[in-house]
Amino acid sequence: MSDSKEVSISIENKIAFITINAPKTLNALNRKIIKEIHQHLYNIKYDNDVRVVIITGAGEKAFVAGANIKEFASFSKKEGQELAQSGHDLLFNKIANFSKPVIAAVNGYALGGGLELAMACHMRVASENAKLGQPEVSLGLIPGYGGTQRLTQLIGKGKAFEMILTGQMISAKEGLSLGLLNYVVSLEELMPKAIEIASKTIENSPAAIKKSIKAINAVFGNIGLQNEVELFGQCFGTDEFKEGTQAFLEKRKPNFK
Ligand code: CAA
């Protein structure tokens, strides 16, 4: 067991539990948290005592409420693009291509980068109180950690357009019916259910699992992700981006002209 400030890891019965704990920002992802998760994944990659990973958020309110808006509100286009690129390189693509199954245990809000984190995982279990959304357009942004690609892959173009263009949240129940979530259970049942799925994968051949992940991922190319990074970067520094992020920080509705 090793702990850092905002992300902890514990290993039990060949399952690594990674927990994000930044209650003041509802577990929003800043660069430090991304690096901490990256480091934990790096440490367990070749550890034979770990066969599955479960990622969750601490508390009962949020899995992850997105990328940290305060951190990037004054970023330039170049910094915005670097933010998305380094997020993919350090975390989101690392998880999607991880050689061991990664399960998201979604215990509350999964918004923006939070839903993108859950979607980069191979499977998603959520508690009934979870709320899912890609609200970036309300900030003058687009999803930048793979949301335009992975949401479309998971739920299809029509519903992905609806979620991304309206920016509205959906319930866990709706997420289940759309195929965005594998299971929805009570908050008490969340970890037991994630562990149940993890345990089933542990019974199987690690080499075959690794190849299955590679083969499934090969259905989808990376061109779309790269395109998203560039478009995400283009949003930064614009008047609409400034209005959207300022409105969030000032706790008011944005006024886009
Ligand atoms: N970044 C930074 N701080 C955040 C945050 C975020 N994404 N989400 C919540 N917080 C902070 C709030 O600013 C607030 O801090 P203060 O107490 O200092 O004011 C604290 O967490 C609690 O949040 P609220 O008071 O807003 O709690 P609420 O219950 O009224 O609302 C919520 C909860 C609906 C999740 C709301 O916090 C919210 O809408 N958060 C932002 C969601 C969002 O827009 N996510 C997308 C981010 S952009 C992104 O992710 C880009 C990308 O794709 C890479």
Side-chain angles (χ1 to χ4, degrees), residues 24-25 61 65 67-69 111 113 116 135-136 144-145 248 251:
K24 285 188 186 149
T25 54
K61 185 166 177 182
N68 191 311
I69 299 165
L111 302 175
E116 291 169 306
E136 285 87 346
Y145 285 149
F248 175 78
K251 298 188 185 287

Side-chain angles (χ1 to χ4, degrees), residues 74-177:
S74 60
F75 276 12
S76 64
K77 287 185 169 47
K78 187 165 174 281
E79 287 170 314
Q81 190 165 335
E82 279 166 5
L83 181 79
Q85 189 65 60
S86 66
H88 282 302
D89 295 345
L90 288 173
L91 188 60
F92 293 82
N93 288 345
K94 279 276 181 303
I95 290 175
N97 298 310
F98 207 61
S99 53
K100 309 175 193 209
V102 186
I103 300 169
V106 181
N107 55 307
Y109 288 114
L111 302 175
L115 182 57
E116 291 169 306
L117 178 64
M119 292 192 297
C121 297
H122 303 123
M123 291 167 269
R124 284 151 292 285
V125 186
S127 51
E128 286 154 348
N129 65 319
K131 290 252 193 300
L132 319 167
Q134 295 286 167
E136 285 87 346
V137 290
S138 70
L139 299 163
L141 266 180
I142 67 165
Y145 285 149
T148 63
Q149 307 302 296
R150 295 194 176 108
L151 187 65
T152 310
Q153 289 156 8
L154 282 163
I155 70 174
K157 201 170 166 181
K159 278 290 175 185
F161 269 132
E162 185 179 334
M163 279 186 72
I164 291 173
L165 303 189
T166 67
Q168 296 296 301
M169 294 182 223
I170 61 168
S171 66
K173 201 172 153 202
E174 198 175 348
L176 181 68
S177 73

Side-chain angles (χ1 to χ4, degrees), residues 1-11 17-21 32 36-37 39-40 43 58:
M1 170 109 178
S2 82
D3 276 298
S4 52
K5 208 168 157 248
E6 284 163 316
V7 183
S8 64
I9 186 165
S10 63
I11 298 167
F17 298 86
I18 293 180
T19 306
I20 302 162
N21 188 2
K32 180 173 170 285
E36 284 184 28
I37 308 174
Q39 189 60 50
H40 287 308
N43 292 346

